[in-house]
Amino acid sequence: MINEHVTDMEIQLFIFEEEKCAIHVVEHIKHCPQCAIKAAEYNVLVEGIEQLEKPAFDFALADLVVEQLPQPQLRARFDSLFLYIIAFVVISFVATALYFFKDTRLNLAWKTSPASTGLIITTVACIGIFLLADLFRKYQRQMHAANFIE
Amino acid sequence: MNNTTENTFTDQALVNKVLRGHTNAFKAIVKHTEGLVTQIIFKMVANNEDRRDLAQDVYLKVYQKLSGFKFKSKLSTWVGQITYNTCLNYLEKKKLVLIDEHDSGANKQFETSKNNTHLFSNETEKLVFTKELSQILKKEIDNLSPLYKTLITLYHNEDLSYSEIAQITELPEGTVKNYLFRARKVLRERLQLTYKTQAS
Ligand SMILES: [Zn+2]
């Protein structure tokens, strides 16, 4: 005659970690129809859980994530190095030019031909615009990444 | 080479590639872990739009923090931890509970009638019940608290060990076991009630 049924926790232990289950619990479940049914219910429950369909997004997560990644750090570091080199070259060029032509620079507009003046102005302007555009793009990209992560 | 060493080796190779700027390696990481990430997000968060945003958030965080990954766990466990924390922050922001009061303690209603309520009375009934089970079960799992749903899924669907679940949720292993025990108990009791109601 069985007086004390085993607890719910002991039944779960019997089902999920039988090796940790005390012998008297195993014996009880084997001989008590009520506790055996409870144990069988846990078995069915787990079987049911394992058979449930796994959830999935209705879009390609990997593709979407990769599209939104900030530029790789290595590339970013290379970009800034490149930017610094260009800035250095431009500043050196302007400084050297100013030094060599310091005596004549007041008359520069009259002494050089209009074509070379135009060429110099255009080149400097183009480099300037390129640098500014690149800085702006980088700034936007970093702001976008920061917003996303916050 | 055992499985863990092999995993660490693959993880390390992938992480190094990503750090050298290979986006395809990161894509491989996403593909390798998205099953787990999706499970956690779907169990912790009910809103579909938010799930989508959170999934992207998780992987951007993974990307940002990747250089700090110390290989003390599997990469997938670490990604799971970031996912769980991201969802936890979301629940806090939305003032949603992680464990519902109805799920936390033993249910008195069931305690009093425990001896005469069973899902089936003998082994032959088992097959009939299994067909109905997935529908009722799916609904009842959805009704569980976010944490309980997540633990049940990580243990029974993702086949993670107690220790891996403890790492992901940053809960002591004993607490994980205890919550899992309660979650299964609540689920069994609710199934009994739903099944009984439907049968009568
Ligand atoms: Zn018994």
Side-chain angles (χ1 to χ4, degrees):
Chain A
M1 186 67 207
I2 299 153
N3 297 319
E4 266 310 281
H5 288 295
V6 291
T7 65
D8 215 285
M9 198 176 230
E10 286 169 321
I11 293 176
Q12 283 199 36
L13 207 63
F14 170 75
I15 299 293
F16 305 112
E17 290 173 275
E18 202 187 332
E19 70 284 355
K20 288 186 184 168
C21 203
I23 292 177
H24 79 271
V25 176
V26 179
E27 285 303 310
H28 177 95
I29 295 171
K30 273 182 187 163
H31 298 105
C32 169
Q34 273 191 33
C35 290
I37 286 177
K38 249 190 181 181
E41 283 173 355
Y42 275 116
N43 259 330
V44 177
L45 179 72
V46 168
E47 254 174 55
I49 295 171
E50 285 167 357
Q51 280 167 21
L52 289 179
E53 212 177 297
K54 291 197 176 189
F57 284 108
D58 53 4
F59 58 93
L61 181 59
D63 292 335
L64 192 68
V65 166
V66 168
E67 265 173 39
Q68 285 166 347
L69 288 183
Q71 289 290 302
Q73 286 179 356
L74 211 69
R75 172 81 190 278
R77 241 178 277 149
F78 179 75
D79 278 356
S80 19
L81 188 72
F82 186 64
L83 214 68
Y84 289 137
I85 290 173
I86 288 183
F88 178 73
V89 168
V90 170
I91 292 168
S92 315
F93 175 77
V94 172
T96 317
L98 283 177
Y99 177 78
F100 280 113
F101 296 108
K102 62 175 185 281
D103 297 331
T104 52
R105 69 176 184 270
L106 290 173
N107 314 327
L108 193 68
W110 291 276
K111 288 194 176 162
T112 51
S113 72
S116 10
T117 313
L119 197 68
I120 290 169
I121 292 171
T122 316
T123 314
V124 171
C126 282
I127 293 174
I129 289 168
F130 166 77
L131 284 176
L132 277 173
D134 199 63
L135 266 172
F136 185 62
R137 253 193 308 132
K138 256 176 74 125
Y139 172 74
Q140 272 189 322
R141 226 158 41 204
Q142 278 172 357
M143 285 308 285
H144 179 72
N147 282 341
F148 220 97
I149 285 147
E150 276 313 302
Chain B
M1 203 190 291
N2 68 32
N3 238 349
T4 322
T5 326
E6 208 173 308
N7 274 334
T8 314
F9 183 71
T10 326
D11 287 352
Q12 210 147 18
L14 274 175
V15 171
N16 287 340
K17 270 189 167 184
V18 176
L19 294 178
R20 284 201 304 269
H22 295 264
T23 2
N24 268 346
F26 194 71
K27 198 170 176 175
I29 292 179
V30 179
K31 292 218 175 223
H32 175 61
T33 54
E34 69 178 320
L36 175 69
V37 170
T38 308
Q39 281 280 29
I40 298 176
I41 292 177
F42 271 67
K43 295 299 178 293
M44 296 277 285
V45 177
N47 183 293
N48 237 337
E49 281 291 301
D50 294 341
R51 283 170 175 171
R52 188 192 164 105
D53 294 344
L54 284 169
Q56 294 171 57
D57 258 22
V58 164
Y59 280 112
L60 272 158
K61 278 185 192 165
V62 169
Y63 187 77
Q64 293 291 321
K65 293 179 176 183
L66 202 60
S67 58
F69 177 53
K70 298 282 183 278
F71 300 96
K72 283 180 181 163
S73 66
K74 280 199 276 181
L75 181 64
S76 57
T77 310
W78 182 71
V79 173
Q81 195 184 61
I82 292 179
T83 313
Y84 180 78
N85 280 328
T86 307
C87 293
L88 211 60
N89 289 339
Y90 166 88
L91 292 180
E92 271 171 22
K93 261 188 204 166
K94 297 266 172 185
K95 299 194 167 38
L96 296 167
V97 288
L98 189 61
I99 305 179
D100 199 284
E101 253 178 46
H102 294 100
D103 289 352
S104 56
N107 200 323
K108 294 281 180 291
Q109 184 195 343
F110 292 109
E111 286 301 306
T112 50
S113 61
K114 62 182 174 185
N115 286 340
N116 35 33
T117 329
H118 284 299
L119 289 174
F120 45 85
S121 49
N122 58 55
E123 281 294 304
T124 48
E125 243 188 275
K126 189 175 166 178
L127 286 173
V128 186
F129 173 67
T130 311
K131 285 206 165 183
E132 287 178 60
L133 180 73
S134 54
Q135 288 170 7
I136 307 171
L137 191 61
K138 199 172 178 298
K139 199 180 131 254
E140 291 305 335
I141 290 180
D142 280 344
N143 290 337
L144 282 178
S145 302
L147 182 60
Y148 283 3
K149 273 190 249 188
T150 307
L151 296 181
I152 288 272
T153 301
L154 293 182
Y155 189 83
H156 292 294
N157 296 107
E158 294 301 309
D159 293 320
L160 298 187
S161 65
Y162 290 124
S163 126
E164 282 171 311
I165 299 176
Q167 284 180 56
I168 288 177
T169 55
E170 290 174 277
L171 289 169
E173 236 180 275
T175 312
V176 169
K177 281 187 186 183
N178 201 21
Y179 282 162
L180 260 169
F181 158 74
R182 283 195 228 164
R184 291 190 201 107
K185 189 168 189 278
V186 169
L187 213 49
R188 189 180 68 88
E189 288 172 344
R190 287 192 186 163
L191 277 173
Q192 283 177 342
L193 189 73
T194 316
Y195 189 68
K196 252 189 102 184
T197 318
Q198 290 200 354
S200 58

